[in-house]
Each structure stands twice: as structure tokens, then as C-alpha cells.
Amino acid sequence: MRAWPAERAPMIVSGQGEYLVDSQGRRYIDGISSLWCNVHGHRHPRIDEAVRAQLDRVAHTTMLGLSHPGAEELARRLVRIAPGAPAGSHGPLSRVFYSDSGSTAVEVALKMAYQYWQQAPDARPQRTSFVRLENAYHGDTVGSVSVGGIELFHSLYRPLLFDSHAVPAGDAAALDALLAKHEDEIAAVVVEPLVQGAAGMLLQPPGYLRAVKELCDAHDVFLVCDEVATGFGRTGTMFACEQEDVVPDFLCLAKGLSGGYLPLAATLTTDRVHEGFLGRFEEFRAFFHGHTYTGNPLACAAALATLDVFEEERTLERLQSRIALLEQLLEDLVAPLDHVAEIRRCGFMCGIELAAEPRRGVAFDPAARTGHRVALAARERGAIVRPLGDVVVLMPPLSIAPEALEELVEVTSDSIVAATGQAVGALAA
Ligand SMILES: *Cc1c(COP(=O)(O)O)cnc(C)c1O
């Protein structure tokens, strides 16, 4: 934190499409979609207009005891695009609970899963624990940190957290063994489907998510899929779960939900779970959880317009050629660099792992802050990227123009060269 004042972070004063502009008038490509959430670009006219129109009606009313048309319409649309929904209708994920960040979307899923087993008709009150994947990231609040597994972010807080069982990501046999042993005490298994984002874009082997789902079903344990990062087209499909035909019991959404405009989150769940919270007044089975800005009307308006743009601009169809272009550019410009150990990519989520000696598996000294220096070098060259340690993340808006995508990868390549001290001639050779 000492370095922060000296580094003089750019003051961003405006944006347009995939570009950001700072107070000095310098323009940058937004290579990380403003922390993974911008979908259709900045100042999209359709979304701007929707927020303005809502502003002319009302900016905020509570969803505690009241509702509003935007929240209702958005819930209807979310259940129709959720994994497992047949065309024009909803599937098993038929219920929507709003909150305002990815962390709260996960907290809601954890509390609901726990409370369900405490009080539902098929209650199993011993089920108070959760299974998490090693290196998981589900947010920064204490509950979501409890199911997190990133040493640097999470280990210090261990004494404050509730216990959870960790299994290695990608290892279905380990989960099988754990569930066989501890089924009676486990409320839910929590995963980031296909890609563990904050861990550094760690990819799971094909078939793993499907296997997790089948194991959860076999033990009647809930599956929570945290699609806060992967949702809304990031992996090439609307939701990552679709790629393995998985319908979880809880689907956590945030980041791209409002197009990256305003804080909004939703936790989708099933009728079965919903019914576990019904009862006579004096049974007090309600889900006692509600944030002040839950389901904020401006945010819901942005989210509805975001979904409109997916349809009108055929975003997912058009994304496919950009994904292919990104793959090609990484192959040509980044893979050959001396200090690139691995490129991990799923759709438009990408992590470039740097190492001092990739072939011998020798990492850079953390004190060298290599990933960070790549980001500073990229900033000078007109692109915003943000590393996770020595993994350089690229996550541009889905709408990025092919020329800008090319420039982004070129800048990233040049910046890796600059920060790792590789001679440029070596690349040409
Ligand atoms: C970003 C993220 C979160 C936390 O979202 P916030 O809105 O920052 O609270 C949770 N889960 C995943 C997978 C994320 O990438």
C-alpha cells in the first residue's frame, strides 16, 4: 500500500466502447472490462438510455415489502436464460433473490443452503458444512471468504471463518471420497464452473463440472455454481454451466449482470429450495436477509438493457470469431516469449502466467512484482491490464473491435518483454 501514492493511478474521467480516458486526456483499452464486469462496452447508448429513463421514474425504492417492474421483469428474463431453461420458459432455476455484489450472491446461496437443511420438510440439521475447491475465490465478505482457498487473500482470516472441506479442483475422485465420508454434514458444494478466475484463470478438465454435479445428485447435496465471473458470455456461452449441461441448485450472478454499469447481483434457485422457506407466520421460516440496495431499479434497468443488447447485437454469435482471434493473437505474440510459462484461456477469460525460467518451473521473485510491472508498462502503452501475482489477466469487453483486440495483445506482448527484460531481438529470431 506504500507504493500506491507514488504510482499515481490514472484518474479515469470518461469511457467509450472498449476505451477509457484519463484526466490527462490519455486513452487506454480497457483490457480487463473494468474488473471483469463490462460486457457491451462503456456508454452503450441502449444501456445509457435505459438508466436515464429509469432515473426519470425513480432511482431507488426498497425490495423489502415492495417490488418494482424492473425487478420483476428481470427475474422473468433471468429464469428464461438460466441453464436448463427450455426455450421461452423457465427450467429448474425458477426463483431469483437479488442482492448487490458477487460476494453477497454467494453469501445468500450459502445461507439459503444451510437454512434449507435446518428447516425444510426433508431437513437434515447436521448439514452445516460446505465443500470448497482449493484456490477458490467467491468474494471478500467473511462468509464467501470461508469457502475461499487463496492463501494470500484468505489464510490470515482463518480464525474468523467457518470451517469448510477443501478438495483439489479437477479431481472428481477426491470429491467422491469426501462426500462418501462426510455426506451427513455437508450442505453444499461450491464451485466456480470451468474456470477459477481469481486463482489465476485455472482451467478445470472437461467433464469435471458434470462429474461434480452427478456426485452432488448422488449424495443429495446442493451444488452452488458461482458464475459471477464466468456468466454473461465470458466463456463463450451465456453461462459456463451450459457447456457441461449442468443445472446447479444455486446460480450466483453479479459482475456482467448489469453490463458492468451498476452493482447488482442475483442468486437463482429452485422451487424445491423456495418451498423449504414456506410456512406459517409463527414458524419464522423466512430467509432473513435483505440489503438496502437489493434489486436497485437503476441497476435492474441496466441489466434489462444488457440482456436486450445480447439479443439485438447477437453478442454471443459475434463473440466466437473474436475468441478465435484472441487465441491466434496469443499464439503468435505471447506464447513465443521467453518468460511466458503458460497461457490459460476459456472463451474471453485469459491468464498469461509468467516465470523466471518456465522450462525449469522457476517463478519470479515476488519482490520483483513482475506482473505488476507488466501492468505499468501496458498503461504507458495505452492499455489497462491487471495482474493476479505473475499472471497477466486479459478480459476485454465482449464487444471489443478486432483492431482493438489486436492492439491489446500487442501491447501486452511488448509490456511483458519490457518488464521481463527479454531482448526484443530474441523474439524476432
Ligand atoms: C468477483 C468475484 C466475486 C465477488 O464479486 P464482488 O462483486 O466483487 O463481491 C465472487 N465470485 C467470483 C467467481 C468472482 O470472480
Side-chain angles (χ1 to χ4, degrees), residues 315-336:
T315 304
L316 292 175
E317 260 171 75
R318 291 170 58 197
L319 177 62
Q320 306 312 318
S321 62
R322 288 182 173 87
I323 292 174
L325 176 61
L326 175 61
E327 182 177 18
Q328 189 62 50
L329 289 164
L330 289 166
E331 179 83 7
D332 293 346
L333 301 174
V334 177

Side-chain angles (χ1 to χ4, degrees), residues 50-248:
V51 175
R52 273 195 210 100
Q54 181 60 43
L55 206 43
D56 286 339
R57 293 189 288 270
V58 65
H60 180 67
T61 65
T62 182
M63 290 201 69
L64 279 60
L66 303 175
S67 188
H68 64 87
E72 189 183 304
E73 171 68 10
L74 180 59
R76 263 183 228 293
R77 302 230 351 225
L78 287 175
V79 300
R80 278 192 225 132
I81 61 167
S89 178
H90 68 77
L93 291 167
S94 55
R95 301 282 166 176
V96 178
F97 189 92
Y98 291 113
S99 61
D100 37 40
S101 77
S103 307
T104 58
V106 172
E107 296 275 341
V108 164
L110 298 177
K111 286 176 68 180
M112 274 186 186
Y114 165 84
Q115 191 173 339
Y116 178 90
W117 292 121
Q118 293 303 305
Q119 67 182 34
D122 57 346
R124 298 179 67 173
Q126 307 304 317
R127 287 189 152 179
T128 59
S129 181
F130 293 88
V131 177
R132 62 184 160 94
L133 302 186
E134 287 174 5
N135 296 305
Y137 179 81
H138 297 289
D140 287 341
T141 55
V142 170
S144 57
V145 167
S146 294
V147 290
I150 298 181
E151 280 302 299
L152 179 66
F153 300 165
H154 300 152
S155 58
L156 176 72
Y157 301 106
R158 230 0 106 198
L160 302 186
L161 310 178
F162 56 77
D163 269 339
S164 58
H165 301 268
V167 290
D171 183 349
L175 179 63
D176 193 10
L178 185 89
L179 289 176
K181 194 156 166 230
H182 295 287
E183 181 202 298
D184 289 343
E185 53 182 275
I186 289 167
V189 174
V190 187
V191 302
E192 293 161 86
L194 303 192
V195 192
Q196 290 184 292
M201 305 297 150
L202 303 183
L203 307 180
Q204 295 156 9
Y208 175 67
L209 182 63
R210 181 77 237 157
V212 170
K213 167 66 179 161
E214 284 166 11
L215 288 169
C216 287
D217 284 351
H219 294 273
D220 192 27
V221 162
F222 289 133
L223 174 62
V224 178
C225 281
D226 174 356
E227 292 234 25
V228 170
T230 52
F232 300 97
R234 266 299 143 196
T235 66
T237 48
M238 190 55 111
F239 300 108
C241 286
E242 293 169 34
Q243 296 187 28
E244 303 227 334
D245 258 319
V246 163
V247 182

Side-chain angles (χ1 to χ4, degrees), residues 18-20 27-32 382-385 396-397 400 403-409 411:
E18 59 270 40
Y19 291 98
L20 297 171
R27 197 171 80 140
Y28 309 91
I29 299 173
D30 186 355
I32 50 161
I384 302 297
V385 301
I400 189 171
E403 309 74 59
L405 188 58
E406 243 164 81
E407 194 185 333
L408 173 64
V409 180
V411 165

